[in-house]
Amino acid sequence: MLCVLVPLVLFALTETSTSQSDLGIVPEYRLSDVVWGPSNEVANAIVDSSLFIKELQSRNLTESSYNRFIEHDVRYRRGISHILEARINNLQEADDVRSLLQDTLKHYKSRNQTSLASLTPPWLNYTLRCFESVVKEEPVYWLVALSARASLLNLLVEGRCRTDQVQQSSTFYKQWCDDNMVESQWIQRYNTTLVEHMAQINPFTAINIFREQMMNQKSFYKALDSDK
């Protein structure tokens, strides 16, 4: 069962049918558009309230802020990696969804070299419980959940990491941009694979999963500021 249920976005979904085949997305909308709509206010709240993102906006990211982000991001990736690794090994189908999940696992584990205390902070405990609920769904929904983090980072990178901006920025701002520019490639991969599996996706379920994961991103940035 999902951690949170949100209102349905009827403007982006068909309104008259109840069968799974009729719960499709209106042709002019992509799944990424549909799931982002109800989460847009959450993303805006993150951008508007986060002290860390305010440093990004000033292009003067400090070493301490950069290191806190790395530490929190490593914790997040490590926790999600443990869940993914256990569940991917049990998947029988050798398809593009499993392949992308395996690639995501490698990507998440690539920054897991930092030594961290074993205690899991409360914000991450809740995030991991929510992700555990997602992996009880079909694997295609795991990609929906993973795409929330990638979508938000892609938004931050696109708005703040253009070459002309980075050249006149702090060293750690440049490093953050270098670290996260790759997220634009990941969101493209998630979206491409999800489009190819539209027939398996209930938009209502996808909306709820994506929004809950975006709420968890809000907790991530709040914790980032609280530990300052």
Side-chain angles (χ1 to χ4, degrees):
M1 182 176 180
L2 302 177
C3 295
V4 169
L5 294 178
V6 301
L8 304 180
V9 185
L10 297 181
F11 73 88
L13 306 175
T14 54
E15 299 181 17
T16 58
S17 302
T18 57
S19 70
Q20 177 63 40
S21 62
D22 288 334
L23 282 175
I25 294 175
V26 176
E28 59 266 29
Y29 289 96
R30 298 174 302 171
L31 179 67
S32 56
D33 298 324
V34 171
V35 298
W36 182 264
S39 294
N40 186 56
E41 63 178 279
V42 181
N44 286 337
I46 295 170
V47 172
D48 291 342
S49 63
S50 170
L51 298 177
F52 175 82
I53 294 176
K54 285 183 175 21
E55 282 196 29
L56 287 182
Q57 290 171 329
S58 71
R59 301 199 299 276
N60 190 31
L61 191 65
T62 63
E63 180 177 7
S64 60
S65 293
Y66 173 78
N67 288 338
R68 280 199 313 279
F69 179 88
I70 293 297
E71 179 180 331
H72 283 66
D73 196 45
V74 167
R75 287 185 183 278
Y76 176 86
R77 289 189 188 212
R78 184 173 294 175
I80 298 296
S81 293
H82 289 158
I83 298 171
L84 280 178
E85 193 162 31
R87 297 305 182 111
I88 289 174
N89 291 337
N90 293 327
L91 294 180
Q92 301 300 318
E93 303 84 356
D95 59 7
D96 56 341
V97 171
R98 180 177 180 176
S99 177
L100 181 49
L101 287 169
Q102 290 173 324
D103 287 349
T104 300
L105 179 59
K106 292 177 184 176
H107 173 53
Y108 269 39
K109 294 175 74 173
S110 66
R111 195 185 279 172
N112 283 358
Q113 305 305 313
T114 304
S115 177
L116 295 174
S118 58
L119 185 64
T120 304
W123 69 269
L124 184 55
N125 269 323
Y126 182 79
T127 295
L128 296 181
R129 287 200 302 271
C130 289
F131 197 80
E132 283 277 12
S133 73
V134 171
V135 296
K136 296 175 184 177
E137 305 284 340
E138 291 297 318
V140 69
Y141 291 114
W142 308 4
L143 297 181
V144 173
L146 292 165
S147 72
R149 172 186 175 275
S151 294
L152 183 60
L153 280 174
N154 185 53
L155 175 69
L156 297 177
V157 166
E158 281 189 337
R160 295 168 180 84
C161 292
R162 297 195 309 268
T163 301
D164 59 327
Q165 294 175 318
V166 173
Q167 288 175 345
Q168 300 182 9
S169 306
S170 72
T171 299
F172 293 100
Y173 180 91
K174 294 175 184 176
Q175 186 60 55
W176 186 90
C177 285
D178 288 344
D179 292 342
N180 293 288
M181 284 292 285
V182 70
E183 295 302 329
S184 62
Q185 301 170 17
W186 280 97
I187 195 58
Q188 290 169 12
R189 291 190 65 185
Y190 291 138
N191 289 342
T192 297
T193 302
L194 289 171
V195 165
E196 293 171 354
H197 290 266
M198 284 303 303
Q200 300 172 239
I201 298 173
N202 181 316
F204 302 154
T205 302
I207 286 169
N208 289 327
I209 287 174
F210 188 91
R211 191 174 192 278
E212 178 61 27
Q213 294 303 311
M214 190 63 73
M215 291 295 296
N216 289 333
Q217 287 298 300
K218 187 175 182 180
S219 297
F220 173 97
Y221 284 92
K222 184 176 180 180
L224 197 60
D225 293 338
S226 298
D227 291 345
K228 189 171 182 178

